[in-house]
Tab-separated table of all heavy atoms in Angstrom:
chain	number	residue	atom	x	y	z
Q	1	PRO	N	-10.379	-49.182	-28.392
Q	1	PRO	CA	-9.213	-50.067	-28.280
Q	1	PRO	C	-8.628	-50.472	-29.625
Q	1	PRO	O	-7.460	-50.861	-29.704
Q	1	PRO	CB	-9.775	-51.282	-27.532
Q	1	PRO	CG	-11.239	-51.254	-27.796
Q	1	PRO	CD	-11.611	-49.813	-27.906
Q	2	ALA	N	-9.429	-50.379	-30.695
Q	2	ALA	CA	-8.896	-50.705	-32.022
Q	2	ALA	C	-7.904	-49.645	-32.487
Q	2	ALA	O	-7.001	-49.941	-33.279
Q	2	ALA	CB	-10.043	-50.834	-33.022
Q	3	PHE	N	-8.059	-48.426	-32.011
Q	3	PHE	CA	-7.171	-47.334	-32.394
Q	3	PHE	C	-6.151	-47.012	-31.303
Q	3	PHE	O	-5.026	-46.610	-31.598
Q	3	PHE	CB	-7.989	-46.071	-32.697
Q	3	PHE	CG	-8.770	-46.117	-33.985
Q	3	PHE	CD1	-8.785	-47.257	-34.781
Q	3	PHE	CD2	-9.491	-45.025	-34.406
Q	3	PHE	CE1	-9.505	-47.303	-35.963
Q	3	PHE	CE2	-10.212	-45.044	-35.592
Q	3	PHE	CZ	-10.213	-46.193	-36.374
Q	4	PHE	N	-6.565	-47.154	-30.039
Q	4	PHE	CA	-5.702	-46.799	-28.912
Q	4	PHE	C	-5.703	-47.936	-27.891
Q	4	PHE	O	-6.377	-47.863	-26.862
Q	4	PHE	CB	-6.189	-45.498	-28.268
Q	4	PHE	CG	-6.153	-44.303	-29.191
Q	4	PHE	CD1	-7.265	-43.980	-29.961
Q	4	PHE	CD2	-5.012	-43.535	-29.304
Q	4	PHE	CE1	-7.234	-42.898	-30.825
Q	4	PHE	CE2	-4.967	-42.448	-30.161
Q	4	PHE	CZ	-6.082	-42.126	-30.939
Q	5	PRO	N	-4.971	-49.017	-28.191
Q	5	PRO	CA	-4.958	-50.170	-27.273
Q	5	PRO	C	-4.268	-49.865	-25.942
Q	5	PRO	O	-4.525	-50.543	-24.945
Q	5	PRO	CB	-4.201	-51.236	-28.067
Q	5	PRO	CG	-3.371	-50.472	-29.053
Q	5	PRO	CD	-4.175	-49.257	-29.402
Q	6	ASP	N	-3.387	-48.870	-25.917
Q	6	ASP	CA	-2.656	-48.524	-24.701
Q	6	ASP	C	-2.685	-47.014	-24.517
Q	6	ASP	O	-1.698	-46.319	-24.794
Q	6	ASP	CB	-1.212	-49.032	-24.800
Q	6	ASP	CG	-0.379	-48.693	-23.568
Q	6	ASP	OD1	-0.976	-48.347	-22.518
Q	6	ASP	OD2	0.865	-48.757	-23.664
Q	7	PRO	N	-3.815	-46.480	-24.050
Q	7	PRO	CA	-3.927	-45.014	-23.947
Q	7	PRO	C	-2.857	-44.391	-23.067
Q	7	PRO	O	-2.275	-43.350	-23.425
Q	7	PRO	CB	-5.321	-44.813	-23.347
Q	7	PRO	CG	-6.064	-46.059	-23.662
Q	7	PRO	CD	-5.057	-47.156	-23.647
Q	8	GLU	N	-2.581	-45.004	-21.903
Q	8	GLU	CA	-1.581	-44.429	-21.000
Q	8	GLU	C	-0.215	-44.376	-21.659
Q	8	GLU	O	0.511	-43.388	-21.546
Q	8	GLU	CB	-1.509	-45.228	-19.696
Q	8	GLU	CG	-2.730	-45.112	-18.810
Q	8	GLU	CD	-3.788	-46.158	-19.136
Q	8	GLU	OE1	-3.688	-46.798	-20.213
Q	8	GLU	OE2	-4.705	-46.345	-18.320
Q	9	GLY	N	0.150	-45.462	-22.372
Q	9	GLY	CA	1.434	-45.472	-23.061
Q	9	GLY	C	1.495	-44.432	-24.163
Q	9	GLY	O	2.530	-43.768	-24.353
Q	10	PHE	N	0.394	-44.278	-24.904
Q	10	PHE	CA	0.322	-43.275	-25.972
Q	10	PHE	C	0.504	-41.870	-25.410
Q	10	PHE	O	1.321	-41.083	-25.912
Q	10	PHE	CB	-1.021	-43.406	-26.684
Q	10	PHE	CG	-1.374	-42.263	-27.585
Q	10	PHE	CD1	-0.694	-42.055	-28.771
Q	10	PHE	CD2	-2.403	-41.387	-27.243
Q	10	PHE	CE1	-1.023	-40.988	-29.608
Q	10	PHE	CE2	-2.744	-40.327	-28.064
Q	10	PHE	CZ	-2.050	-40.135	-29.247
Q	11	LEU	N	-0.228	-41.560	-24.352
Q	11	LEU	CA	-0.146	-40.225	-23.759
Q	11	LEU	C	1.225	-39.974	-23.142
Q	11	LEU	O	1.786	-38.874	-23.260
Q	11	LEU	CB	-1.235	-40.069	-22.700
Q	11	LEU	CG	-2.681	-40.115	-23.222
Q	11	LEU	CD1	-3.667	-40.217	-22.061
Q	11	LEU	CD2	-2.993	-38.904	-24.083
Q	12	SER	N	1.775	-40.984	-22.505
Q	12	SER	CA	3.093	-40.842	-21.892
Q	12	SER	C	4.165	-40.571	-22.940
Q	12	SER	O	5.069	-39.752	-22.735
Q	12	SER	CB	3.432	-42.101	-21.095
Q	12	SER	OG	4.726	-42.025	-20.550
Q	13	THR	N	4.066	-41.265	-24.085
Q	13	THR	CA	5.052	-41.053	-25.157
Q	13	THR	C	4.963	-39.637	-25.715
Q	13	THR	O	5.992	-38.991	-25.965
Q	13	THR	CB	4.845	-42.076	-26.286
Q	13	THR	OG1	4.949	-43.402	-25.758
Q	13	THR	CG2	5.877	-41.899	-27.389
Q	14	LEU	N	3.732	-39.148	-25.915
Q	14	LEU	CA	3.577	-37.783	-26.404
Q	14	LEU	C	4.161	-36.776	-25.420
Q	14	LEU	O	4.853	-35.826	-25.815
Q	14	LEU	CB	2.099	-37.474	-26.646
Q	14	LEU	CG	1.468	-38.073	-27.900
Q	14	LEU	CD1	-0.005	-37.720	-27.979
Q	14	LEU	CD2	2.176	-37.584	-29.163
Q	15	HIS	N	3.898	-36.980	-24.134
Q	15	HIS	CA	4.447	-36.070	-23.125
Q	15	HIS	C	5.971	-36.106	-23.119
Q	15	HIS	O	6.630	-35.072	-22.944
Q	15	HIS	CB	3.909	-36.439	-21.743
Q	15	HIS	CG	2.466	-36.082	-21.557
Q	15	HIS	ND1	1.670	-36.659	-20.610
Q	15	HIS	CD2	1.672	-35.187	-22.217
Q	15	HIS	CE1	0.455	-36.146	-20.672
Q	15	HIS	NE2	0.429	-35.243	-21.641
Q	16	ALA	N	6.527	-37.288	-23.319
Q	16	ALA	CA	7.984	-37.408	-23.348
Q	16	ALA	C	8.585	-36.634	-24.517
Q	16	ALA	O	9.743	-36.212	-24.460
Q	16	ALA	CB	8.373	-38.883	-23.420
Q	17	LYS	N	7.790	-36.455	-25.571
Q	17	LYS	CA	8.253	-35.704	-26.738
Q	17	LYS	C	7.919	-34.215	-26.609
Q	17	LYS	O	8.110	-33.445	-27.551
Q	17	LYS	CB	7.622	-36.284	-28.013
Q	17	LYS	CG	8.087	-37.693	-28.342
Q	17	LYS	CD	7.412	-38.208	-29.595
Q	17	LYS	CE	7.918	-39.600	-29.957
Q	17	LYS	NZ	9.340	-39.583	-30.350
Q	18	GLY	N	7.391	-33.824	-25.460
Q	18	GLY	CA	7.106	-32.410	-25.229
Q	18	GLY	C	5.755	-31.942	-25.726
Q	18	GLY	O	5.491	-30.739	-25.733
Q	19	ALA	N	4.883	-32.879	-26.146
Q	19	ALA	CA	3.582	-32.502	-26.684
Q	19	ALA	C	2.494	-32.686	-25.623
Q	19	ALA	O	2.487	-33.690	-24.901
Q	19	ALA	CB	3.246	-33.347	-27.914
Q	20	HIS	N	1.613	-31.717	-25.527
Q	20	HIS	CA	0.444	-31.823	-24.663
Q	20	HIS	C	-0.734	-32.333	-25.488
Q	20	HIS	O	-0.772	-32.151	-26.704
Q	20	HIS	CB	0.114	-30.468	-24.040
Q	20	HIS	CG	1.181	-29.970	-23.112
Q	20	HIS	ND1	2.384	-29.451	-23.573
Q	20	HIS	CD2	1.242	-29.925	-21.767
Q	20	HIS	CE1	3.130	-29.106	-22.537
Q	20	HIS	NE2	2.459	-29.374	-21.434
Q	21	VAL	N	-1.707	-32.936	-24.815
Q	21	VAL	CA	-2.768	-33.641	-25.522
Q	21	VAL	C	-4.126	-33.027	-25.207
Q	21	VAL	O	-4.479	-32.802	-24.044
Q	21	VAL	CB	-2.792	-35.135	-25.155
Q	21	VAL	CG1	-3.863	-35.867	-25.967
Q	21	VAL	CG2	-1.424	-35.755	-25.401
Q	22	CYS	N	-4.888	-32.764	-26.270
Q	22	CYS	CA	-6.247	-32.257	-26.176
Q	22	CYS	C	-7.171	-33.253	-26.866
Q	22	CYS	O	-6.908	-33.672	-27.999
Q	22	CYS	CB	-6.339	-30.888	-26.856
Q	22	CYS	SG	-8.005	-30.218	-27.011
Q	23	LEU	N	-8.259	-33.647	-26.189
Q	23	LEU	CA	-9.224	-34.574	-26.773
Q	23	LEU	C	-10.510	-33.848	-27.146
Q	23	LEU	O	-10.984	-32.979	-26.423
Q	23	LEU	CB	-9.568	-35.708	-25.792
Q	23	LEU	CG	-8.471	-36.705	-25.434
Q	23	LEU	CD1	-9.063	-37.864	-24.633
Q	23	LEU	CD2	-7.759	-37.225	-26.662
Q	24	ASN	N	-11.084	-34.252	-28.284
Q	24	ASN	CA	-12.339	-33.704	-28.755
Q	24	ASN	C	-13.498	-34.179	-27.880
Q	24	ASN	O	-13.529	-35.326	-27.448
Q	24	ASN	CB	-12.556	-34.146	-30.207
Q	24	ASN	CG	-13.843	-33.628	-30.794
Q	24	ASN	OD1	-14.896	-34.200	-30.577
Q	24	ASN	ND2	-13.763	-32.558	-31.556
Q	25	LEU	N	-14.461	-33.286	-27.639
Q	25	LEU	CA	-15.548	-33.579	-26.718
Q	25	LEU	C	-16.865	-33.022	-27.251
Q	25	LEU	O	-16.967	-31.856	-27.589
Q	25	LEU	CB	-15.234	-32.963	-25.351
Q	25	LEU	CG	-16.251	-33.131	-24.235
Q	25	LEU	CD1	-16.370	-34.599	-23.849
Q	25	LEU	CD2	-15.836	-32.301	-23.020
Q	26	HIS	N	-17.896	-33.899	-27.335
Q	26	HIS	CA	-19.272	-33.500	-27.671
Q	26	HIS	C	-20.192	-34.072	-26.591
Q	26	HIS	O	-20.671	-35.193	-26.717
Q	26	HIS	CB	-19.709	-34.073	-29.023
Q	26	HIS	CG	-18.982	-33.541	-30.204
Q	26	HIS	ND1	-17.782	-34.044	-30.623
Q	26	HIS	CD2	-19.302	-32.552	-31.078
Q	26	HIS	CE1	-17.393	-33.398	-31.710
Q	26	HIS	NE2	-18.288	-32.481	-32.002
Q	27	PRO	N	-20.481	-33.345	-25.533
Q	27	PRO	CA	-21.170	-33.969	-24.397
Q	27	PRO	C	-22.684	-34.077	-24.498
Q	27	PRO	O	-23.306	-34.702	-23.636
Q	27	PRO	CB	-20.789	-33.059	-23.237
Q	27	PRO	CG	-20.564	-31.732	-23.867
Q	27	PRO	CD	-19.992	-31.997	-25.225
């Protein structure tokens, strides 16, 4: 939350700009 307080808003804005989002994963 210190870096991404509004994840849905962040992702929605990127999509509106035509960018798709990939998240890093170490399971």
Side-chain angles (χ1 to χ4, degrees):
F3 288 3
F4 298 91
D6 179 16
E8 291 89 346
F10 167 70
L11 295 169
S12 177
T13 302
L14 284 178
H15 288 159
K17 293 179 178 294
H20 295 75
V21 183
C22 173
L23 293 189
N24 180 278
L25 179 66
H26 294 84

